[in-house]
Amino acid sequence: MADFYITTAIDYVNGSPHIGHAYEKILTDVVARFRRLMGDRVYFLTGTDEHGQKVQQTARLKGVAPQAFADAISAEFQAMLPRLEISNDDFIRTTQERHKRVVREILQRLFDKGDIYKGEYHGFYSLRQEQFLQEKDRNPDGTWPEIYGEVSEIVEPNYFFRLRSYQPWLVDFIARNEGFIFPRFRQKQVSEFLKEPLNDLCISRPRERLEWGIPLPFDEGYVTYVWFDALVNYYSAVADKPGVWPPAWHVIGKDILVPPHAVYWPIMLHSAGIALPRGLLVHGWWMTKGAKMSKSSGNAFNPMDLVGEFGADALRYFLIREMNVGQDGEFSRELFLSRYNSDLANDLGNLVNRVLNMTNRFAAGAVPAAGPDGDAEAELRAAWGATGGEYLELFGQFQFHTALERLFAFIRSINAYVEKRAPWRLGKSELPADRALLATSLATMAEALRLATVALRPVMPGATQRIAAVLGYAPAGSWSQELEWGGRLAGSAVAPALVLFPRPLAAPAKAP
Ligand code: MSP
């Protein structure tokens, strides 16, 4: 059973993972951890998309069998997940038997009801690249670019899926389900796209052209078009797990919304009589110097390098803080370092060490109980009152960057509170009122840090666990209870120090 099923796109295995791939896993993981903390039973799926022309070609060039090639790259993607602290429940590969069986079952079902038929595919074919070309692939003068070699117009018998006959149903579905696609402006794009008539979808490739795919159950002379195969992963992974499908959110990049996820997938499910997912969460692209980061453009950053240098929490924080889900975001080492230094090392890291140092220096290493409040305490509590509730709301609306912006403003106000109370001055005084205020200020800063740490848990699972440990804090109760201001740390023994986000050695900026 699951209340919340969440998936990432499954990555092509024709190249190593880059920041764009890492981001999608992290974003999905943040949602998954958030929902778990809110009490949902979550099921989280990710995986690799392994069939198709590109994999077959790349494997051939390398002189290895496609399966061996796919095994190696899929292993790289799988190895990345624990290093990014991704809490997925399952990893699906489209070359697994459990997936192929379900794809074939669905194809057979659609064929039997007449939604798949045999027809003729007309198109321009490049023998050199072994692919059909589109009008958009032509040079402005109408000729074909050199890389395609000789291009000929061919007619090929193939199987087609009746997309067009489902167009009115899809238009109506999108109109009636306003929140199906996040952000909303993407849903509008889909409605615009659907104003033009759809063509039926060619879902087969003759085996003499493409071996590396799932054979059609009703004609073994053909393999399945890779998108028809790949989309089914979301369902095939849980087909034998009752109650997981359909409350699904698919997290995808904007490049694969239209037509695959917003047109093919809903129609495939509807035709097969399977319930539709709950929604599509569509993120933008990470760019380098204004261009989409991608393996083929040679501008890709390897996420593992950054994890090795700064840790998974820092990378997770940067990507979630910097990207407004749905928009594009710029990635550079400079931008990363600037957030790392200001937010993590300065604002958060310093606060943790201040709490530890002062509790050790002025309270023998145990957080005191708070004495009476003054205005400064009331102000900080009020700041939390505003931030805490809003934070959860923003998370629920996928506005993680704003939520983190607000939370770090709160962290800065804890630091400002510490400056104002100056426990180092109160610690020198023997006056009873100052001793009481010292206890209050130590308790207040520790409690405020505890709250910020608890709130950061979905984004920085490792760092927040380490902070909780040095504060002597053992989480208890539900997450929303933990997020209430209280005196939860009174009496906790704190550790001497914690180096959370060490300052990087001054190194020359690396070119991507
Ligand atoms: N295999 C298909 C998806 C099939 S899902 C049934 C595919 N693979 S991909 O490897 O090209 O991309 C996987 C995901 O990574 C996509 O959601 C894509 O948008 C995302 N990203 C790839 N490059 C990206 C950036 N530069 N920035 C952010 N995400 C991008 O498409």
Side-chain angles (χ1 to χ4, degrees):
M1 277 298 287
D3 308 303
F4 195 85
Y5 174 35
I6 192 158
T7 65
T8 69
I10 50 173
D11 301 304
Y12 287 132
V13 290
N14 47 15
S16 302
H18 59 64
I19 290 284
H21 303 118
Y23 169 68
E24 190 174 279
K25 314 292 175 295
I26 291 170
L27 172 64
T28 311
D29 188 63
V30 168
V31 181
R33 286 179 188 269
F34 166 66
R35 296 301 335 171
R36 281 193 207 105
L37 287 165
M38 294 301 282
D40 281 347
R41 284 165 301 183
V42 172
Y43 197 80
F44 174 3
L45 175 75
T46 183
T48 41
D49 183 357
E50 306 188 9
H51 289 126
Q53 189 88 29
K54 278 209 187 117
V55 175
Q56 179 173 295
Q57 275 172 347
T58 321
R60 199 175 280 161
L61 276 173
K62 299 208 179 246
V64 290
Q67 185 67 65
F69 180 70
D71 286 349
I73 307 269
S74 178
E76 252 186 79
F77 276 93
Q78 288 178 63
M80 175 174 80
L81 300 173
R83 296 199 57 204
L84 295 174
E85 305 233 36
I86 303 299
S87 61
N88 58 306
D89 296 288
D90 194 2
F91 188 95
I92 187 152
R93 304 182 54 190
T94 53
T95 49
Q96 287 168 338
E97 222 29 69
R98 61 171 174 161
H99 172 73
K100 294 194 265 189
R101 182 177 54 75
V102 176
V103 171
R104 284 164 63 93
E105 269 170 26
I106 291 181
L107 282 165
Q108 188 67 52
R109 210 185 298 174
L110 269 44
F111 184 72
D112 291 345
K113 72 182 283 209
D115 278 351
I116 290 177
Y117 64 94
K118 196 163 190 182
E120 278 180 343
Y121 188 89
H122 295 253
F124 294 98
Y125 190 74
S126 149
L127 203 61
R128 184 186 291 169
Q129 295 293 334
E130 297 180 30
Q131 73 179 78
F132 275 100
L133 304 177
Q134 319 257 315
E135 284 302 323
K136 68 173 167 54
D137 297 322
R138 286 184 193 268
N139 290 321
D141 66 0
T143 59
W144 296 103
E146 181 59 33
I147 47 157
Y148 297 123
E150 193 186 327
V151 174
S152 41
E153 199 171 354
I154 65 169
V155 176
E156 190 179 84
N158 259 313
Y159 287 88
F160 291 81
F161 176 46
R162 291 190 196 283
L163 278 190
R164 175 174 288 194
S165 56
Y166 286 98
Q167 185 163 3
W169 166 81
L170 184 61
V171 167
D172 183 57
F173 174 83
I174 299 282
R176 278 191 296 109
N177 291 274
E178 269 206 352
F180 185 62
I181 302 171
F182 179 90
R184 290 283 168 88
F185 73 89
R186 297 262 174 233
Q187 180 136 344
K188 293 212 180 79
Q189 281 176 359
V190 174
S191 303
E192 280 303 308
F193 178 84
L194 288 171
K195 285 189 175 149
E196 295 297 315
L198 291 174
N199 290 324
D200 287 348
L201 177 68
C202 179
I203 52 112
S204 64
R205 299 292 182 266
R207 261 176 122 154
E208 62 266 19
R209 262 202 311 113
L210 179 64
E211 264 289 318
W212 186 233
I214 303 176
L216 296 182
F218 42 82
D219 190 339
E220 300 277 331
Y222 291 86
V223 298
T224 312
Y225 170 48
V226 70
W227 269 107
F228 197 102
D229 161 353
L231 286 162
V232 173
N233 90 87
Y234 304 131
Y235 180 72
S236 65
V238 296
D240 60 355
K241 294 186 175 63
V244 177
W245 188 270
W249 273 98
H250 301 313
V251 180
I252 55 170
K254 64 180 186 181
D255 49 322
I256 58 172
L257 174 64
V258 184
H261 283 84
V263 179
Y264 304 163
W265 184 225
I267 294 182
M268 283 162 67
L269 288 167
H270 185 64
S271 161
I274 301 171
L276 262 64
R278 197 186 281 175
L280 306 175
L281 170 53
V282 187
H283 62 76
W285 287 339
W286 283 99
M287 320 283 279
T288 18
K289 300 192 186 101
K292 182 193 180 200
M293 193 189 295
S294 74
K295 184 81 187 158
S296 52
S297 347
N299 62 359
F301 281 85
N302 180 346
M304 291 304 102
D305 291 346
L306 288 154
V307 169
E309 215 175 335
F310 301 98
D313 289 300
L315 179 63
R316 291 172 64 107
Y317 174 74
F318 174 81
L319 295 178
I320 299 299
R321 168 66 185 85
E322 202 70 19
M323 182 73 109
N324 177 350
V325 179
Q327 310 293 318
D328 294 341
E330 178 72 18
F331 189 92
S332 75
R333 192 178 164 86
E334 291 68 31
L335 286 168
F336 176 85
L337 279 177
S338 137
R339 282 252 170 250
Y340 180 89
N341 284 324
S342 66
D343 298 10
L344 299 181
N346 273 352
D347 296 342
L348 180 60
N350 279 347
L351 175 63
V352 172
N353 278 316
R354 282 174 136 181
V355 170
L356 300 182
N357 288 341
M358 290 187 221
T359 310
N360 282 306
R361 242 168 88 199
F362 303 119
V367 178
D373 271 3
D375 286 352
E377 286 73 26
E379 244 172 62
L380 193 61
R381 269 175 202 261
W384 176 250
T387 309
E390 196 184 25
Y391 187 79
L392 293 190
E393 229 168 82
L394 289 165
F395 258 62
Q397 297 159 355
F398 307 125
Q399 297 296 305
F400 308 108
H401 72 296
T402 314
L404 290 179
E405 186 186 343
R406 305 280 154 84
L407 190 69
F408 272 75
F410 174 67
I411 290 173
R412 282 189 295 278
S413 58
I414 311 176
N415 279 317
Y417 166 82
V418 177
E419 297 293 330
K420 187 165 185 182
R421 280 292 182 233
W424 50 91
R425 273 207 300 274
L426 296 169
K428 287 187 193 135
S429 165
E430 294 301 328
L431 292 174
D434 285 346
R435 304 304 300 175
L437 200 51
L438 174 65
T440 298
S441 61
L442 294 178
T444 303
M445 61 199 265
E447 178 63 6
L449 170 62
R450 180 191 71 78
L451 290 163
T453 307
V454 170
L456 276 174
R457 217 180 269 159
V459 181
M460 299 204 279
T464 51
Q465 217 175 353
R466 275 181 292 148
I467 302 175
V470 293
L471 290 178
Y473 175 59
S478 69
W479 194 47
S480 43
Q481 284 165 346
E482 279 191 85
L483 286 169
E484 280 165 20
W485 191 295
R488 288 205 185 213
L489 288 174
S492 294
V494 305
L498 173 69
V499 181
L500 258 185
F501 300 107
R503 301 273 176 193
L505 296 172
K510 277 185 205 160

